[in-house]
Amino acid sequence: MKPGSYSFMHENDRITDGFDIFFWVFNDASSFVAAHWHRAIEIMYILDGEVNVTVNAHETILLPGDIFLIDSSVIHSTKSIHGNHAILIQLPYSLLKKYIPDIDNISFAFDCHTENPILNTKILKLIEVIKELQIIFEVNSKGEILRFNSLVFELLYQLYHNFSVPIPDTDLRKYQKHFDRLKLVMDYMNSHYNRPLSLDEISGVACFQKEYFCHFFKKNMGKTYLEYLNEIRLSHVYEDLISTDLPLKTILEKNGFTNYKLFRQLFYENFHTTPSEYRKTHRP
């Protein structure tokens, strides 16, 4: 996976050639991905290294052997300062809808660091299937597509049987209403991050009064609109920093950062070093 390949707000469902899902075993030198969402269910299994995942303002640190599930249309961000080796699976919404007709009324989740022995046993079974998928994916053998797809259905079965919870109608309607409004705002911010965006302008996009918009955004995103805007900008700066030879000043101007002191502070908070040092150690 290319560093920075997720640095956009809405990611379209993808599939790996020859299969019905997206499946990839990758070595990620480093990455910083601003909050985004996709309709696919995403599963990460960490083989080596460390990944920080933030969902609903809650950060989870994933280490080797950890598995993490991100439900459809859940806003999340990821960061891997020193890189990782991991398996990434995305189950497209179209596939889920075909075989789980009530998918829109179900949520999928589990605590990857649970101490509950029953839940832990279920998680280990899920990991076993993922490891088998990895073997089939990496070894070109007769009938590999048949075996791979049979394991995909086993994966779907385990998710549905062990990790699904019905969503009450009232909660579903409330979530959809809020999510649709957030999508509108996030789309706009993602398209205009490289220029000044005032509170008046962004609250107008949401059709909210400024005070209520600030409350709404912070409650649903776990951060202020300005914090999120700078997160988007930082993700694009990060990508340019490790993939181009552009001077830092040019990169900042290109991506909407006008306050160099604020940028340095945010960069150090996220990467624990200076931009120049990070560029030296993480350039391909």
Side-chain angles (χ1 to χ4, degrees):
M1 179 186 301
K2 284 177 59 181
S5 60
Y6 286 123
S7 55
F8 43 88
M9 193 282 298
H10 174 222
E11 176 187 313
N12 293 321
D13 286 2
R14 304 173 297 169
I15 59 172
T16 301
D17 289 346
F19 302 118
D20 293 325
I21 67 171
F22 182 78
F23 187 94
W24 196 247
V25 184
F26 63 91
N27 282 296
D28 185 0
S30 66
S31 60
F32 179 76
V33 184
H36 65 289
W37 62 277
H38 35 72
R39 299 193 79 189
I41 290 178
E42 182 169 286
I43 300 172
M44 287 182 284
Y45 178 62
I46 310 304
L47 300 169
D48 193 22
E50 180 178 314
V51 179
N52 293 33
V53 183
T54 300
V55 177
N56 297 326
H58 177 72
E59 183 182 57
T60 301
I61 299 175
L62 304 178
L63 299 172
D66 286 342
I67 183 171
F68 196 84
L69 184 149
I70 300 167
D71 202 3
S72 173
S73 299
V74 169
I75 299 168
H76 59 285
S77 61
T78 62
K79 178 172 63 177
S80 182
I81 297 176
H82 302 296
N84 67 91
H85 179 44
I87 297 172
L88 177 69
I89 300 173
Q90 289 183 349
L91 303 169
Y93 176 81
S94 58
L95 179 73
L96 297 167
K97 185 67 175 177
K98 182 177 181 179
Y99 295 106
I100 308 176
D102 57 340
I103 187 71
D104 296 321
N105 302 308
I106 296 173
S107 67
F108 294 84
F110 57 77
D111 177 7
C112 66
H113 295 144
T114 182
E115 295 183 1
N116 182 313
I118 296 176
L119 180 56
N120 194 50
T121 297
K122 294 176 180 178
I123 292 173
L124 289 175
K125 287 182 179 179
L126 195 66
I127 291 174
E128 288 176 9
V129 175
I130 292 172
K131 287 181 175 179
E132 281 197 70
L133 283 166
Q134 180 187 5
I135 293 171
I136 300 301
F137 182 75
E138 294 180 334
V139 178
N140 187 13
S141 60
K142 184 178 179 181
E144 64 173 346
I145 293 179
L146 293 173
R147 180 57 181 149
F148 189 92
N149 286 332
S150 73
L151 290 168
V152 169
F153 280 101
E154 175 63 23
L155 186 72
L156 289 175
Y157 170 76
Q158 289 198 24
L159 289 175
Y160 186 63
H161 185 71
N162 294 325
F163 306 109
S164 66
V165 178
I167 305 173
D169 287 343
T170 52
D171 291 349
L172 185 62
R173 287 194 296 270
K174 182 179 179 182
Y175 172 79
Q176 192 60 53
K177 181 181 178 181
H178 287 177
F179 186 70
D180 288 344
R181 192 65 63 91
L182 280 173
K183 284 193 293 185
L184 183 66
V185 172
M186 292 170 70
D187 273 332
Y188 192 85
M189 294 174 74
N190 199 66
S191 298
H192 300 87
Y193 70 90
N194 57 351
R195 65 168 179 79
L197 270 179
S198 68
L199 179 56
D200 283 325
E201 181 178 354
I202 198 63
S203 59
V205 171
C207 298
F208 284 149
Q209 295 292 328
K210 288 188 294 185
E211 293 75 14
Y212 183 76
F213 171 77
C214 291
H215 171 75
F216 170 82
F217 196 90
K218 180 68 179 290
K219 180 179 179 181
N220 287 279
M221 292 290 292
K223 62 190 73 179
T224 68
Y225 97 93
L226 191 55
E227 288 171 336
Y228 176 61
L229 178 60
N230 283 329
E231 182 179 300
I232 296 174
R233 289 168 172 164
L234 188 61
S235 70
H236 286 276
V237 169
Y238 161 83
E239 186 173 358
D240 285 342
L241 195 65
I242 65 171
S243 63
T244 76
D245 293 318
L246 292 172
L248 180 58
K249 184 175 183 293
T250 303
I251 291 174
L252 296 183
E253 292 173 351
K254 173 188 172 186
N255 293 296
F257 264 114
T258 57
N259 186 328
Y260 182 71
K261 184 176 180 180
L262 174 62
F263 164 74
R264 293 274 299 197
Q265 177 185 334
L266 291 174
F267 195 92
Y268 193 85
E269 287 175 359
N270 280 278
F271 299 104
H272 313 301
T273 187
T274 65
S276 58
E277 286 300 316
Y278 196 84
R279 186 176 228 175
K280 288 179 184 177
T281 56
H282 291 86
R283 283 291 297 274

